[in-house]
Amino acid sequence: MSTITIISGSPFTSSRLEGVLDLLSDALKEAGAKLNWIPVAAIPPEDLIYAKFNSPAIMEANQFIQNSDAVVVATPVYKASYSGVLKTFLDLIPESGLEHKVTLPVAVGGTIAHLLAIENSLKPVLSVLGARYQMQGIFICDTQVRRMETGGFIVDDEVKARVLHSAKELIQCMANRL
């Protein structure tokens, strides 16, 4: 069984990004993957800001990554880049922490103009952390994920298709690497 860690770089637990990640995680679990979640917003802020490498929360998160075959790195896009919350966590991953792992970047942004945030800002940082097997990222405009009044999200069919396709590709990439 493959193990995948999902890093959510949203500062909010009820963001549109979470709606996309729920869809992705359901598809990955259905394919038989074991999932670990790292909601960066749940890590004590002082551990992130003061770079407490020895904090139990940081050590547990890095252990999840170390024991994974693949890592999904997900973020909202702010000012044409990934979130600051995600950056504080990425700074605490060991330099070779993503080595030998398949990575799938996921981003939700306010406009199609942010489409290149994955390629121009997130992927280079993942590469520095050792990610050599980076899949094509998934970029979603926030208008394609609607919040329901009763809770939860409605994801556009086109986005669902891309997310499900990427889930299949991720499983296949891991199978080819193992």
Side-chain angles (χ1 to χ4, degrees):
M1 175 187 306
S2 298
T3 301
I4 302 169
T5 293
I6 298 175
I7 302 170
S8 173
S10 175
F12 307 105
T13 57
S14 63
S15 71
R16 289 177 173 87
L17 181 64
E18 300 310 313
V20 172
L21 291 178
D22 287 344
L23 178 65
L24 179 63
S25 70
D26 288 346
L28 294 171
K29 284 190 276 189
E30 189 174 301
K34 176 185 179 240
L35 299 182
N36 295 312
W37 281 81
I38 302 172
V40 178
I43 295 173
E46 54 279 350
D47 293 355
L48 295 168
I49 296 300
Y50 295 117
K52 294 183 178 178
F53 288 92
N54 62 348
S55 120
I58 300 298
M59 290 180 3
E60 178 184 45
N62 281 330
Q63 192 66 49
F64 282 156
I65 293 168
Q66 182 180 342
N67 295 336
S68 293
D69 303 300
V71 178
V72 174
V73 181
T75 183
V77 175
Y78 299 125
K79 298 187 187 331
S81 188
Y82 52 90
S83 71
V85 170
L86 180 61
K87 175 65 170 134
T88 60
F89 177 70
L90 293 176
D91 286 346
L92 297 172
I93 296 174
E95 191 170 319
S96 60
L98 297 178
E99 198 170 67
H100 307 297
K101 311 223 180 291
V102 177
T103 57
L104 172 62
V106 177
V108 174
T111 171
I112 196 70
H114 292 139
L115 176 67
L116 292 176
I118 291 173
E119 295 297 324
N120 293 339
S121 62
L122 185 55
K123 280 188 170 184
V125 172
L126 299 179
S127 179
V128 167
L129 293 172
R132 301 291 175 263
Y133 308 100
Q134 295 190 52
M135 294 178 56
Q136 178 178 339
I138 307 169
F139 179 85
I140 300 122
C141 283
D142 64 8
T143 57
Q144 296 176 297
V145 183
R146 292 174 307 288
R147 190 181 319 275
M148 297 186 307
E149 287 183 26
T150 57
F153 299 90
I154 298 173
V155 179
D156 285 1
D157 289 341
E158 182 270 335
V159 172
K160 277 185 191 173
R162 287 192 293 125
V163 168
L164 297 176
H165 177 76
S166 291
K168 281 185 187 176
E169 280 190 332
L170 180 56
I171 297 293
Q172 187 61 48
C173 283
M174 287 187 308
N176 290 343
R177 295 248 331 111
L178 298 176

